[in-house]
């Protein structure tokens, strides 16, 4: 968004195609024509991002003139609300604000006022009255530009769902759309959380944002939050798009180097680091302070993992000798710094990689008039045992309880990623050990975990594109690459970084890529064992691919295991993107043609569900044969059908029948019967049953030209895992 003040006006139907959009049906980045266009027509945000570097006073994010230097009462971003953990009957979270100005010396410590204002459904009292607690800020990071303050929140779980209000007396917001008082909800002690899941929260470079009416689906999120509050929103990666750093930012001169060898050898100097640091900072300040996302991130607690666009497109999936170059190592560290601050409310490393500093310890050049707190990760983190290959930091994975009977495991699948691995074997061992400890402790308590959400950045039950990988890696590509280098022929086929075929980094990112085949199988088999040993239903969330789908793993029909007793049955909810443009219909339809029944191993099959019984809105999105991929913007919702609910709601399934022996092109259990727009999970009965199952809803945009973002709901239900009479066979 080029403005934090208002959404772009909707574009009329029939407006000509953006001339700078990608010519590739598969890619979600700028075309070569846009790259040329950007040289003489820089994006308006480029000037704002460069202002501090050039010595200009930072501008107010709403176009209201310069912010007074040293005005430390100005909140230039936030509050950002995070959910952290549940311990000893308490809900734990944090709030982050970013103030204008700062430096090594600490100024006045701001305080946050927190007050319980009632249970859900009760009249909300004014936060200014009653007994409010004052929470002092903890300074995480400060340099002459900005100061990051974190406020730790711990409130007791109660028999009822409680509402809290918080505010910052004496501070003012640069964004007038930010409310002075924000509210959030904590679930009742005996209930699981209502969840919202999103990914790809930003626009690829070169996207005609006006043609998509800006970011309207966040308005729909807020409408649904008002009707039935979300207790957490899970971010599946690409919470921000930083790709513009190489088009309108400080990496543009490096990107313009035509020779890949010279590009690999280009130094990441302290000067370039400072410019990239400023770009990432300003882009976060702009995006996280842009409504309506800025309203949601102050009222719905966030839990985030990152993906490539949080750094730069394709990071981790280019060839090793290029990924190891100084520039990629440098921006990996810089992006990680602001990922820690904005998305996890953690102090960053004291310094990040540059070519200039070859000593050990902190880089003195980066600590001039700068304060960095000691990093103090919470108990929710499962931290990798060694640094990543290109980001010189350890992975931050997460385990958190999501209320009474649900938990989540979020895997950091970017810090350790290479073209040939997603995570280190040592990291998987740490994850399984932590899961076993947590699930066993829960099993021994009065509230065992019944549903485990596995949060991934990339879908894992998704059509294979091995045939396309084989073509793009075949010898026929060699002569085309030579013609491209010598004469510019076919230049759009090859990426701007390592000269490889442009699509390959996207394909290599997928778990279904040939290079990740073994690791993918081992991860799914590991989760199957966890499900069987602790009798927990695993449901997977994944984004990245800019369309909606519902994949499933399940036991080979020959085994005749009902889904309710099948520890191998795992639904993969694919929800993407909440903001970015979807792929063309032709791509979605081709993926649907590739929706075969695959065999993960001798006991496990996989395929996608025919979930989309009709297109949303009046404009056709898919071919008549395509019921399993939806190329429209979307987000997902998850709610438990709590055993504490009064009455059981069904989906019209009155007779008892067996689904055992069916394959994945059929319905596998009663929760899949009628999946789509007519399912009870797509109605007001969402989450109102009482059998302990999970209702899943994907909300799909009806019309990209409607700035209010109305959506069409598609639903299904994931059953509890009942104990089998026979033991588990891996």
């Amino acid at each position: 968004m080029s403005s934090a003040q208002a959404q772009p006006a909707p574009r009329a139907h029939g407006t000509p195609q953006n001339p700078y959009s990608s010519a590739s049906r598969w890619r979600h980045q700028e075309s070569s024509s846009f790259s040329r266009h950007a040289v003489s027509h820089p994006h308006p945000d480029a000037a704002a991002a460069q202002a501090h570097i050039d010595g200009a006073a930072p501008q107010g994010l709403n176009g209201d003139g310069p912010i007074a230097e040293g005005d430390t009462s100005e909140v230039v971003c936030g509050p950002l609300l995070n959910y952290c953990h549940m311990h000893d009957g308490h809900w734990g979270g944090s709030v982050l604000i970013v103030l204008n100005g700062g430096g090594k010396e600490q100024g006045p410590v701001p305080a946050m006022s927190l007050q319980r204002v009632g249970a859900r459904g009760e009249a909300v009292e004014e936060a200014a009255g009653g007994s409010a607690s004052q929470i002092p800020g903890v300074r995480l990071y400060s340099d002459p530009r900005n100061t990051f303050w974190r406020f730790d929140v711990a409130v007791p779980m109660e028999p009822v769902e409680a509402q809290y209000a918080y505010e910052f007396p004496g501070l003012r917001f640069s964004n007038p759309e930010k409310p002075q008082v924000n509210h959030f909800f904590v679930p009742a002690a005996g209930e699981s959380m209502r969840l919202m899941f999103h990914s790809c929260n930003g626009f690829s470079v070169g996207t005609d944002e006006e043609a998509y009416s800006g970011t309207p689906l966040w308005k729909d999120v807020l409408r649904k939050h008002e009707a039935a509050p979300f207790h957490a929103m899970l971010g599946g990666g690409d919470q921000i798009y930083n790709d513009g750093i190489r088009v309108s930012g400080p990496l543009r001169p490096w990107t313009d180097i035509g020779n890949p060898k010279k590009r690999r050898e280009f130094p990441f100097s302290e000067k370039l680091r400072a410019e990239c640091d400023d770009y990432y900072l300003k882009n976060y300040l702009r995006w996280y302070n842009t409504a309506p996302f800025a309203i949601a991130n102050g009222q719905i607690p966030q839990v985030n993992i990152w993906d490539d666009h949080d750094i730069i497109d394709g990071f981790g999936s280019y060839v090793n000798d290029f990924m190891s170059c100084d520039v990629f190592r440098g921006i990996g560290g810089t992006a990680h710094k602001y990922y820690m601050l904005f998305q996890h409310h953690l102090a960053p490393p004291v310094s990040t990689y540059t070519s200039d500093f070859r000593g050990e310890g902190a880089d003195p050049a980066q600590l001039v008039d700068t304060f960095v707190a000691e990093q103090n990760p919470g108990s929710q983190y499962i931290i990798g045992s060694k640094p990543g290959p290109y980001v010189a930091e350890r992975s931050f994975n997460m385990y958190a309880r999501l209320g009474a009977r649900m938990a989540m495991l979020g895997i950091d699948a970017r810090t350790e990623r290479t073209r040939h691995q997603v995570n280190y074997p040592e990291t998987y061992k740490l994850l399984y050990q932590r899961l076993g400890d947590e699930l066993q402790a829960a099993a021994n308590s009065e509230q065992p975990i019944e549903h485990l959400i596995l949060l991934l950045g990339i879908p894992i039950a998704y059509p294979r594109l091995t045939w396309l990988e084989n073509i793009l890696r075949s010898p026929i590509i060699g002569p085309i690459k030579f013609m491209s280098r010598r004469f510019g022929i076919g230049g759009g086929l090859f990426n701007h970084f390592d000269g490889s075929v442009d699509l390959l980094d996207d394909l290599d990112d997928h778990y279904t890529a040939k290079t990740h085949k073994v690791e993918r199988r081992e991860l799914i088999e590991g989760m199957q064992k966890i499900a069987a040993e602790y009798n927990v239903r695993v449901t997977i969330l994944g984004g990245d691919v800019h369309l909606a789908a519902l994949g499933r793993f399940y036991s080979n029909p020959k085994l005749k295991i009902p889904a309710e007793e099948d520890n191998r049955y795992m639904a993969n909810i694919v929800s993407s993107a909440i903001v970015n443009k979807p792929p063309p219909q032709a791509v979605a339809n081709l993926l649907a043609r590739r929706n075969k029944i695959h065999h993960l191993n001798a006991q496990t099959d996989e395929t996608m569900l025919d979930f989309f019984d009709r297109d949303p809105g009046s404009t056709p999105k898919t071919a008549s044969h395509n019921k399993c991929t939806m190329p429209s913007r979307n987000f997902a919702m998850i709610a438990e059908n709590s055993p504490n609910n009064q009455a059981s709601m069904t989906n019209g399934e009155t007779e008892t029948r067996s689904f055992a022996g069916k394959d994945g092109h059929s319905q596998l259990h009663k929760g899949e019967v009628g999946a789509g727009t007519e399912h009870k999970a797509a109605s007001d009965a969402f989450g109102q049953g009482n059998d302990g199952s999970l209702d899943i809803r994907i909300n799909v945009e009806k019309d990209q030209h409607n700035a209010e973002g109305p959506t069409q709901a598609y639903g299904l239900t994931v059953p509890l895992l009942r104990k089998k009479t026979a033991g588990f066979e891996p």
Side-chain angles (χ1 to χ4, degrees):
M1 298 288 296
S2 58
S3 169
Q5 196 167 18
Q7 301 297 322
R11 172 170 288 204
H13 291 269
T15 302
Q17 171 80 15
N18 170 21
Y20 308 114
S21 63
S22 176
S24 167
R25 291 173 176 262
W26 296 89
R27 296 289 293 176
H28 306 286
Q29 66 172 52
E30 80 279 3
S31 62
S32 56
S33 62
F34 182 86
S35 297
R36 293 191 296 270
H37 167 81
V39 175
S40 55
H41 299 80
H43 192 281
D45 291 328
Q50 192 68 21
H52 181 78
I53 299 171
D54 296 337
Q59 296 292 309
L61 291 173
N62 300 285
D64 53 359
I67 296 172
E69 196 168 328
D71 182 6
T72 56
S73 65
E74 180 89 10
V75 180
V76 296
C77 189
L80 309 177
L81 176 64
N82 273 15
Y83 168 66
C84 297
H85 50 68
M86 290 172 56
H87 282 315
D88 300 325
H90 282 73
W91 180 100
S94 63
V95 176
L96 181 82
I97 59 172
V98 186
L99 297 184
N100 178 44
K104 186 179 291 290
E105 300 302 320
Q106 180 173 296
V109 177
M112 185 180 82
S113 177
L114 177 71
Q115 181 182 10
R116 185 189 186 279
V117 293
R120 184 183 171 202
E122 295 178 0
V124 177
E125 306 168 11
E126 288 297 326
S131 58
S133 60
Q134 301 300 310
I135 301 173
V138 175
R139 189 169 60 142
L140 298 179
Y141 177 86
S142 182
D143 63 28
R145 299 167 300 176
N146 298 109
T147 302
F148 291 75
W149 293 95
R150 170 183 170 135
F151 303 83
D152 293 312
V153 178
V155 296
M157 306 290 291
E158 303 179 40
V160 296
E161 180 181 23
Q163 184 179 11
Y164 286 83
Y166 68 97
E167 62 177 323
F168 298 89
L171 301 181
R172 60 188 181 86
F173 296 103
S174 64
N175 185 349
E177 295 180 89
K178 272 285 193 180
Q180 291 296 315
V181 179
N182 283 274
H183 298 84
F184 65 93
F185 289 82
V186 172
E191 301 293 349
S192 299
M193 292 186 178
R194 285 185 296 274
L195 304 173
M196 173 264 188
F197 169 66
H198 68 93
S199 66
C200 301
N201 179 39
F203 285 111
S204 296
V205 176
T207 302
D208 187 345
E209 298 176 22
E210 291 186 9
Y212 290 89
S213 305
T215 61
L217 263 63
W218 282 109
K219 295 182 180 179
D220 196 52
V221 170
L222 290 172
R223 286 193 293 268
K224 289 176 169 53
H225 177 61
E226 184 176 3
F230 297 117
H231 301 118
M233 59 178 179
L234 309 182
D238 299 338
Q239 276 71 250
I240 186 171
Y241 275 61
N242 287 314
D243 305 336
I245 194 170
R246 65 180 174 85
V247 175
S248 58
L251 290 190
R252 182 58 188 260
W254 174 72
T255 307
D256 287 343
I257 298 173
N259 186 313
K261 183 176 184 294
K262 292 181 179 179
R263 199 179 300 122
R264 285 196 300 270
E265 296 172 350
F266 195 88
F268 193 72
S269 65
E270 167 57 24
K271 178 178 183 296
L272 181 56
R273 183 212 63 81
E275 292 173 348
C276 290
D277 186 285
D278 210 65
Y279 181 92
Y280 281 107
L281 171 63
K282 293 299 194 293
N283 201 37
Y284 264 105
L285 292 177
R286 177 182 66 88
W287 188 252
Y288 272 68
N289 210 39
T290 297
F293 176 50
I295 308 302
N297 60 40
Q299 298 185 6
I300 308 173
Q302 302 173 78
V303 180
N304 295 323
I305 61 172
W306 67 341
D307 205 34
D308 58 335
H309 295 282
D310 296 278
I311 310 172
I312 198 170
D313 182 29
F315 189 96
S317 291
Y318 299 110
V319 295
N320 180 67
D321 64 343
F322 185 73
M323 283 300 316
S324 300
C325 77
D326 280 5
V327 170
F328 262 42
R329 291 172 67 188
I331 62 171
T334 307
H336 175 269
K337 169 183 176 178
Y338 289 109
Y339 170 61
M340 288 289 102
L341 283 166
F342 280 94
Q343 299 199 43
H344 290 279
H345 305 179
L346 292 176
V350 292
S351 57
T352 59
Y353 177 85
T354 69
S355 308
D356 296 343
F357 182 68
R358 300 293 181 180
E360 296 183 1
D363 182 353
Q366 298 182 44
L367 295 177
V368 174
D369 202 13
T370 296
F371 167 82
V372 184
E374 182 178 349
Q375 195 174 75
N376 186 24
S379 60
Q380 70 270 29
Y381 291 106
I382 309 163
I383 301 176
S385 59
K386 61 182 179 180
Y390 312 126
V391 178
E393 306 297 336
R394 296 188 292 170
S395 62
F396 272 65
N397 311 277
M398 289 175 288
Y399 173 87
R401 190 147 187 166
L402 301 175
R405 291 166 292 276
M406 290 173 59
M408 63 149 286
L409 175 69
I411 299 182
D412 176 352
R414 191 56 52 180
T415 302
E416 299 172 357
R417 178 182 288 269
T418 71
R419 201 164 198 165
H420 300 285
Q421 78 172 21
V422 180
N423 287 98
Y424 296 136
E426 300 93 325
T427 298
Y428 287 115
K429 291 180 181 178
L430 291 172
L431 298 179
Y432 294 140
Q433 181 63 52
R434 176 66 178 271
L435 270 181
D437 292 345
E438 295 283 356
L439 295 176
Q440 186 60 61
N444 294 337
S445 73
E446 296 180 356
Q447 288 187 329
I449 299 297
E450 296 181 339
H451 290 278
L452 177 66
I453 305 296
L454 178 62
L455 179 60
L456 302 174
I458 307 287
I460 199 165
Y462 195 68
R464 288 159 172 75
L465 296 172
T466 305
W467 58 276
L468 185 56
E469 291 183 74
N470 290 337
I471 292 173
L472 297 180
R473 287 193 170 95
S474 69
I476 194 175
I477 295 297
I480 300 174
K481 185 181 293 188
F482 173 79
M483 297 292 284
S484 174
R485 286 200 303 263
R486 290 293 298 272
F487 307 110
I489 297 173
L493 182 63
F494 303 98
N495 67 52
H496 298 277
F497 292 141
D498 62 358
S500 299
V501 177
D502 198 24
L503 178 59
L504 274 176
D505 69 285
D506 271 3
L507 295 179
D508 285 335
D509 245 17
H510 288 194
Y511 279 103
T512 49
K514 288 194 298 183
T515 54
H516 301 315
K517 182 178 180 180
V518 173
E519 185 174 354
R520 172 182 184 266
R521 175 176 53 78
E522 290 175 346
L523 173 57
I524 294 302
E525 289 175 348
M527 299 310 296
Q528 290 175 345
K529 292 177 181 177
I530 289 286
E533 184 172 355
Y534 300 101
N535 201 58
V536 60
R537 174 69 70 196
V538 177
T539 300
I540 306 168
L541 303 179
D544 180 76
V545 293
H546 298 191
L547 49 74
L550 201 294
R552 300 107 85 227
F553 296 98
Y554 55 94
S555 285
N556 188 310
K558 294 179 181 179
L559 300 176
K560 297 188 180 300
I561 301 175
E564 292 82 0
E565 299 177 5
D566 185 7
N567 61 288
R568 300 183 185 94
Y569 179 86
M570 303 178 192
N572 183 185
I573 303 157
V574 182
S575 183
S576 168
I578 193 170
V579 170
N580 210 350
K581 65 179 181 181
Q585 297 176 28
V587 172
N589 294 336
L590 178 59
L591 288 169
R593 292 286 191 194
R594 304 300 303 173
N595 184 33
K596 312 296 184 182
I597 293 178
H598 295 283
H599 307 289
L600 180 81
N601 55 33
Q603 293 82 29
T604 309
D605 287 354
E606 58 180 284
T607 193
M608 291 194 296
L609 174 70
D610 281 346
F611 187 48
F612 302 102
D613 53 328
R614 64 183 178 88
D615 286 331
S618 57
T619 305
K621 306 288 185 185
T622 58
S624 59
H625 71 268
N626 181 6
K627 303 297 183 185
C628 62
T629 63
M630 179 55 65
S632 294
R633 296 190 292 184
N634 61 90
F635 64 93
M637 296 162 48
I638 304 168
E640 180 195 37
N641 289 297
S642 170
N644 300 320
N645 288 343
Q646 291 296 318
S648 177
M649 303 292 295
T650 68
N651 193 43
E653 184 75 3
T654 55
E655 76 281 4
T656 301
R657 59 169 170 150
S658 174
F659 296 86
K662 300 290 186 180
D663 66 38
H665 286 164
S666 305
Q667 298 153 351
L668 294 177
H669 57 86
K670 66 179 182 180
E672 290 185 354
V673 174
T677 58
E678 302 302 317
H679 196 277
K680 77 102 173 171
S683 72
D684 290 342
F686 175 77
Q688 297 303 305
N690 66 358
D691 62 356
S693 61
L694 285 188
D695 272 354
I696 310 295
R697 176 192 289 180
I698 299 181
N699 301 282
V700 178
E701 184 176 41
K702 291 183 177 180
D703 181 2
Q704 71 183 52
H705 303 286
N706 189 330
E708 294 306 308
T711 58
Q712 174 68 59
Y714 300 82
L716 84 158
T717 300
V718 172
L720 277 174
L721 179 60
R722 296 199 303 257
K723 289 185 178 180
K724 295 187 294 185
T725 54
F728 171 70
E729 298 179 4

